[in-house]
Amino acid sequence: MSKTVLYARVSTVDQTLDHQKAHAEAAGFTIDEVVADHGVSGVTTTLSERPEGRRLRDMLRRGDTLVVRWVDRLGRNYQDVCDSIREFMRRGVVIRTVINNMTFDGATKDPMQQAVRDALIAFMAATAQAQAEATKEAQRAGIDAARAQEDRYRGRKPSYDRAKLATVLDMLGQGAGASSIAKHTGLTRQTVLRIKDDPATAAKALAAWGV
């Protein structure tokens, strides 16, 4: 007896299993069984490398229907998604997506229909990978922007560390001149003078940078 299986890949906190199942049922699917992988990346792990992905491959039989929210739940790697869908079709499994209500199966023998179907699979798989790469790039850009903003807030990183600051303050306390202190520590004379004028700010600058 054929069955309808929902496969869900839950990789972030906002992609809950309950949400994906409710979305499928609201679209009119009657789900007989749910298979889900939690906390796995569709970029770095192929379907066959995921524990429940392997179980999914073993359990599906000819005449079964595999439901996914969209092809990105199968994976975010172009080749892996294409290979997985085509393997399921060869085994007589129908793949259906909740979003856009797409259907992929291997029943058609018409070359033109096959060409259109395969091109659509390739396009959707490529889109899934492109979205993953765009998201990763946006995350990198956000991190870089946050770091840049933090650096602006912290100001320029001090050219001295705690040991050199202590040496400067000690030599100042002994009456040494800025030029001799600069020569001894390797700091510029201007830096020594800034420390002399405001040692508290010099210490805060080190604390801001965690050095």
Side-chain angles (χ1 to χ4, degrees):
M1 183 177 178
S2 62
K3 59 181 177 293
T4 299
V5 179
L6 171 68
Y7 175 72
R9 182 175 57 81
V10 185
S11 55
T12 62
V13 293
D14 60 337
Q15 298 171 350
T16 66
L17 176 57
D18 290 342
H19 174 74
Q20 293 184 51
K21 185 172 185 292
H23 195 181
E25 291 173 339
F29 292 98
T30 300
I31 305 300
D32 298 311
E33 189 169 348
V34 177
V35 177
D37 278 300
H38 295 265
V40 294
S41 167
V43 177
T44 58
T45 58
T46 64
L47 186 63
S48 61
E49 290 173 334
R50 303 171 212 149
E52 294 301 287
R54 289 193 295 270
R55 187 166 78 88
L56 181 73
R57 288 176 176 270
D58 292 338
M59 70 186 296
L60 289 174
R61 299 289 184 268
R62 180 172 297 276
D64 289 344
T65 298
L66 169 61
V67 177
V68 290
R69 185 179 67 86
W70 202 63
V71 298
D72 64 349
R73 295 305 86 198
L74 291 173
R76 294 280 198 172
N77 177 276
Y78 170 81
Q79 195 61 57
D80 179 47
V81 172
C82 288
D83 290 346
S84 296
I85 293 177
R86 287 166 181 160
E87 179 188 342
F88 286 133
M89 288 194 303
R90 284 194 296 269
R91 292 165 51 181
V93 176
V94 176
I95 301 94
R96 296 190 62 185
T97 68
V98 176
I99 296 177
N100 299 129
N101 192 30
M102 305 299 296
T103 300
F104 302 104
D105 64 57
T108 181
K109 302 301 179 185
D110 181 88
M112 288 302 295
Q113 291 181 0
Q114 289 177 341
V116 171
R117 178 202 64 199
D118 291 346
L120 185 56
I121 291 171
F123 172 76
M124 294 177 73
T127 301
Q129 179 169 328
Q131 287 178 339
E133 292 171 351
T135 299
K136 188 174 182 180
E137 183 61 34
Q139 290 171 339
R140 281 198 298 264
I143 291 171
D144 290 343
R147 284 175 176 169
Q149 181 62 31
E150 183 180 1
D151 288 350
R152 284 194 294 271
Y153 175 76
R154 293 187 296 185
R156 180 181 296 178
K157 187 175 181 179
S159 57
Y160 50 88
D161 56 19
R162 293 186 183 278
K164 284 190 177 182
L165 176 60
T167 299
V168 171
L169 294 176
D170 181 60
M171 293 182 70
L172 286 170
Q174 295 177 29
S179 297
S180 62
I181 296 174
K183 183 177 181 180
H184 179 77
T185 60
L187 300 174
T188 65
R189 186 171 182 275
Q190 289 77 11
T191 298
V192 173
L193 289 173
R194 283 197 298 270
I195 294 174
K196 179 182 180 181
D197 291 340
D198 195 346
T201 297
K204 287 180 181 178
L206 282 178
W209 282 89
V211 296

